[in-house]
Amino acid sequence: MNAAVDRSQHGHLVIVGGHEDRENSKEILSRFVELSGGGKATIAVITAASKVPDEMWKRYNAVFTELGARQVIRIDLPDRAAANDPALAGRVRNADGIFMTGGDQKRLLAMIGGTLMDEAMHGALKQRGACIGGTSAGASAMCGHMLADGKADLLPEKGSVSLGAGLGFVQRVVIDQHFSERHRLARLLTIVAQNPYLLGVGIDEDTALVVERGVGIEVIGAGSVTVVDGRAMISNVADIPSGGTPQLIDVRLHLLPAGSSFALPEEVGHPNQLRPDTTRRTPDPLTDFVRNVTKRNPVS
Amino acid sequence: MNAAVDRSQHGHLVIVGGHEDRENSKEILSRFVELSGGGKATIAVITAASKVPDEMWKRYNAVFTELGARQVIRIDLPDRAAANDPALAGRVRNADGIFMTGGDQKRLLAMIGGTLMDEAMHGALKQRGACIGGTSAGASAMCGHMLADGKADLLPEKGSVSLGAGLGFVQRVVIDQHFSERHRLARLLTIVAQNPYLLGVGIDEDTALVVERGVGIEVIGAGSVTVVDGRAMISNVADIPSGGTPQLIDVRLHLLPAGSSFALPEEVGHPNQLRPDTTRRTPDPLTDFVRNVTKRNPVS
């Protein structure tokens, strides 16, 4: 087994901000199929976030088939019993790519959180190096601390967001999607103000944060990924009433447009699947972010 | 002459993000009148930014009169000749408050930049401690480097903003207005990406940055002031083509909601006109911002 093959078994995440192109270049979904193994890939589609799962299945079955996946399988999860079905979970554990559609991340977690299906996804990623993809709700659901509810007002507002327990493929970050298009910086700042332990990550539409676990990250698609780091922040959020706008001083903001790619310092120059191949060493202010999202957490 | 009187002669700036309340509490315009001297104040209204100066004059004459100013005078500037009229400039030099309405800051500067009127405004502020107010275009115009043109897209875009020479009441900052309401963070980031010498300041509607020169700042009204500091930023803006989205790493962002007030370290506890009286010492990450906007530049 050579180094490159070994590395591919680290597993990838393709975290998509919603509305990814499915008609033209299909850049993001192509990359997902490729990182799943291309023509050799069996791809499992989880539609449980959506209230129109049939429509979602048709949509992604068509595009993954068109993009050359060997097999596309539907994981229909009408209830938690289905998510605890050993046979269905086994199909996911053996898949090369697992894709979570949009919808509502709370619905998705209510259906699969803590089930055999949840366990099977972690097993596929961590033991077999599968690629996990998710768009919109499916992106938010990847976090350990998941954005559950929040309004997108003009200014941050104490008490206007709530977190829940997500799937935990990435830790110490919270992901929001449709980010620039729906003007969600204020709500990301609200989350970070109240939870400075978490780095806020906003992913634009038709944009993906591609993670090669243990190696580095890449941004692909049409927009940018915004990272908000409140760890050095000075804030009065604990002292103001609910509904108030917190004073926030020294929030660090990073804007990573498509084309950005960073490897962990110790991985620069090693074989990897990030592009460009000459991936830039992660600048110091981004190091913790890249470490958090690439961290190979143990199987949960 | 006691210390308080002396300090009042430092002069104030009331920099308003547009759409300030003129019907209900009138908090911002009240403060402007008060800092101009209240019932003793002669207030000069400069409508030159606007293409409907008559309407602007009626609006602000009514509200400043209602708020108890002793006298409200119209400074009608149909052309640069008027702005170079010594008698008219003399009335501005002797005013206690000078208010610039909204409109287009390029129009305002084209009319008064470098004229006797420009000089008279600086003289009134710096030699007599007058209060200078400006809303919307009148706020942008206060900077040395003034935002002249820019589009408010979802993401920063190289080459999409341009600066011009403003009135220079504040230096090393660039001010944008209607900030949260018009989603202008991306364009402020564009300015800062291309001009990291300048701190970006975004003022919301019905919100004002009140500056007591040499002393400190205060935010009043309904919204917030956002400060963007790119001095420590790592960026590829010089290397990307025009129209591209720059990668920006480690931009410092500060959100100062109404009620925020900070005094320069050496001015904490001294008599001043900021509220609350127990004005908080400026935190280190904000110090340069507060120093820049409160700096008592020489008469230009």
Side-chain angles (χ1 to χ4, degrees):
Chain A
M1 191 177 282
N2 67 34
V5 171
D6 197 26
R7 277 167 193 282
S8 76
Q9 294 192 346
H10 291 177
H12 291 81
L13 305 174
V14 178
I15 313 173
V16 191
H19 281 316
E20 70 283 354
D21 172 49
R22 292 181 294 268
E23 309 296 328
N24 301 299
S25 79
K26 308 179 189 64
E27 179 186 1
I28 291 169
L29 297 176
S30 290
R31 183 70 73 89
F32 170 75
V33 171
E34 182 193 332
L35 291 172
S36 300
K40 298 179 203 156
T42 293
I43 291 176
V45 177
I46 294 178
T47 56
S50 177
K51 285 189 173 172
V52 287
D54 291 347
E55 196 178 300
M56 287 290 171
W57 161 247
K58 276 181 205 149
R59 178 187 294 177
Y60 285 100
N61 181 34
V63 70
F64 291 141
T65 300
E66 185 193 338
L67 288 169
R70 187 175 65 84
Q71 192 182 12
V72 188
I73 58 178
R74 178 174 188 176
I75 306 299
D76 194 24
L77 300 171
D79 49 34
R80 285 182 64 83
N84 274 315
D85 176 64
L88 206 56
R91 300 188 75 187
V92 165
R93 181 178 284 274
N94 289 317
D96 306 299
I98 302 163
F99 191 85
M100 295 178 283
T101 68
D104 176 352
Q105 58 263 38
K106 292 192 300 297
R107 181 181 171 81
L108 177 62
L109 264 291
M111 216 64 93
I112 71 173
T115 64
L116 289 182
M117 188 60 66
D118 178 345
E119 200 178 300
M121 293 173 76
H122 281 270
L125 175 72
K126 296 168 182 174
Q127 293 170 340
R128 298 185 37 259
C131 182
I132 308 277
T135 188
S136 193
S140 288
M142 293 215 195
C143 305
H145 295 275
M146 176 184 81
L147 173 55
D149 286 297
K151 43 180 189 172
D153 268 345
L154 295 178
L155 289 172
E157 180 185 324
K158 180 174 175 176
S160 68
V161 293
S162 64
L163 301 181
L167 292 168
F169 296 118
V170 288
Q171 300 289 348
R172 303 191 69 156
V173 299
V174 62
I175 291 170
D176 204 353
Q177 7 79 5
H178 304 277
F179 186 71
S180 294
E181 293 77 6
R182 297 190 188 170
H183 303 296
R184 287 176 162 174
L185 179 66
R187 88 174 185 185
L188 197 62
L189 287 171
T190 303
I191 297 171
V192 168
Q194 297 187 220
N195 306 275
Y197 171 89
L198 304 176
L199 300 178
V201 180
I203 306 180
D204 291 348
E205 294 181 355
D206 195 20
T207 305
L209 176 65
V210 177
V211 174
E212 185 170 348
R213 297 175 76 236
V215 175
I217 64 160
E218 185 181 347
V219 179
I220 65 173
S224 293
V225 170
T226 300
V227 179
V228 170
D229 180 348
R231 290 174 302 162
M233 171 184 70
I234 303 165
S235 162
N236 65 353
V237 72
D239 300 321
I240 64 171
S242 188
T245 304
Q247 185 183 84
L248 306 176
I249 295 168
D250 208 12
V251 173
R252 312 288 167 96
L253 184 145
H254 316 299
L255 184 78
L256 310 178
S260 299
S261 74
F262 300 103
L264 289 170
E266 60 275 20
E267 296 292 334
V268 173
H270 287 239
N272 64 58
Q273 298 184 346
L274 304 172
R275 291 159 202 171
D277 291 333
T278 55
T279 299
R280 194 151 72 98
R281 184 187 179 288
T282 306
D284 289 341
L286 271 188
T287 302
D288 286 343
F289 166 67
V290 178
R291 286 209 185 282
N292 288 0
V293 294
T294 59
K295 191 171 180 191
R296 286 178 286 164
N297 299 297
V299 177
S300 61
Chain B
M1 192 177 285
N2 67 35
V5 171
D6 197 25
R7 277 168 193 283
S8 77
Q9 294 194 347
H10 291 176
H12 291 81
L13 305 173
V14 178
I15 313 174
V16 190
H19 281 315
E20 70 283 353
D21 173 50
R22 292 181 293 267
E23 308 296 328
N24 300 299
S25 80
K26 308 179 189 67
E27 178 185 2
I28 292 169
L29 297 177
S30 290
R31 183 70 74 90
F32 171 75
V33 171
E34 182 192 333
L35 291 171
S36 299
K40 298 180 202 158
T42 293
I43 291 174
V45 177
I46 294 178
T47 57
S50 178
K51 285 189 172 173
V52 287
D54 291 347
E55 195 178 301
M56 288 289 171
W57 161 246
K58 277 180 205 150
R59 177 186 297 177
Y60 286 100
N61 181 34
V63 69
F64 291 140
T65 300
E66 185 192 338
L67 288 169
R70 186 175 67 84
Q71 192 182 13
V72 187
I73 59 178
R74 180 174 186 174
I75 305 300
D76 193 24
L77 300 171
D79 50 34
R80 286 183 62 83
N84 273 316
D85 176 66
L88 206 54
R91 299 188 74 185
V92 166
R93 180 178 284 272
N94 289 317
D96 306 299
I98 302 162
F99 191 86
M100 296 178 282
T101 69
D104 175 351
Q105 58 263 38
K106 292 193 299 297
R107 182 181 172 81
L108 177 62
L109 264 291
M111 215 64 92
I112 71 173
T115 63
L116 288 181
M117 187 60 66
D118 178 344
E119 200 178 299
M121 293 174 76
H122 281 270
L125 174 72
K126 296 166 182 175
Q127 295 170 338
R128 298 185 37 260
C131 181
I132 309 278
T135 188
S136 193
S140 289
M142 292 216 196
C143 305
H145 295 275
M146 176 183 81
L147 173 55
D149 285 299
K151 43 180 187 172
D153 268 344
L154 294 179
L155 290 171
E157 180 185 323
K158 180 175 176 176
S160 68
V161 293
S162 64
L163 302 181
L167 291 168
F169 295 118
V170 288
Q171 300 288 348
R172 303 191 70 154
V173 297
V174 62
I175 290 170
D176 205 352
Q177 7 80 5
H178 303 278
F179 187 71
S180 294
E181 293 78 6
R182 296 189 189 172
H183 303 296
R184 286 176 163 174
L185 179 66
R187 90 174 185 184
L188 197 61
L189 286 171
T190 303
I191 298 170
V192 168
Q194 297 186 220
N195 306 275
Y197 172 88
L198 304 176
L199 300 178
V201 180
I203 306 180
D204 291 348
E205 293 181 355
D206 194 21
T207 305
L209 177 65
V210 177
V211 174
E212 185 169 349
R213 298 174 77 235
V215 176
I217 64 159
E218 185 180 349
V219 179
I220 66 173
S224 294
V225 170
T226 300
V227 179
V228 171
D229 179 347
R231 290 173 301 162
M233 172 184 69
I234 303 165
S235 163
N236 64 355
V237 71
D239 300 320
I240 64 171
S242 188
T245 304
Q247 184 183 83
L248 306 175
I249 295 169
D250 208 12
V251 173
R252 311 289 166 95
L253 184 144
H254 316 300
L255 183 78
L256 310 178
S260 300
S261 74
F262 299 103
L264 289 169
E266 60 274 19
E267 295 293 334
V268 173
H270 286 239
N272 64 57
Q273 298 184 347
L274 303 173
R275 289 159 204 172
D277 290 336
T278 55
T279 299
R280 195 150 73 98
R281 183 188 180 287
T282 306
D284 288 342
L286 271 187
T287 302
D288 286 345
F289 166 67
V290 178
R291 287 209 184 281
N292 288 359
V293 295
T294 59
K295 190 170 182 192
R296 286 177 286 165
N297 300 296
V299 178
S300 60

